[in-house]
Amino acid sequence: MNVTDSIKSPCIKVCAVDGETGYCLGCGRTLPEIGQWTRLTPEGRDEVIDRLPERISQLVALGKR
C-alpha cells in the first residue's frame, strides 16, 4: 500500500485553478494546499476540508462551476 492511499483527499480529478479566486475548480483547494497535502497533519487536512464548501459555493456564485 502506498502511503498516500490512506490520506483523505477532496480531489475529484478536475484539476484547474481559477485565476481570480486561486481555488481549484474541482476540489476548492489552493495550489499551496494541494502541494502540501501529504505533509499536512490529519487535523490540518480536516481544517482545509472544512473550508471547501464555502469556496465551492463562491465558485458556483461566480459561474465558474
Side-chain angles (χ1 to χ4, degrees), residues 22-30 33 48 51-52 55-56 59:
Y23 301 147
C24 173
L25 297 175
C27 68
R29 293 179 293 171
T30 64
E33 290 167 345
V48 173
R51 292 190 291 262
L52 299 181
R55 293 178 183 180
I56 297 298
L59 290 169

Side-chain angles (χ1 to χ4, degrees), residues 4-43:
T4 58
D5 289 344
S6 62
I7 295 177
K8 178 170 45 172
S9 174
C11 182
I12 61 169
K13 308 286 192 250
V14 177
C15 304
V17 176
D18 174 58
E20 182 180 348
T21 63
Y23 301 147
C24 173
L25 297 175
C27 68
R29 293 179 293 171
T30 64
L31 283 176
E33 290 167 345
I34 293 167
Q36 297 170 4
W37 197 251
T38 59
R39 294 185 298 278
L40 291 173
T41 63
E43 294 80 14

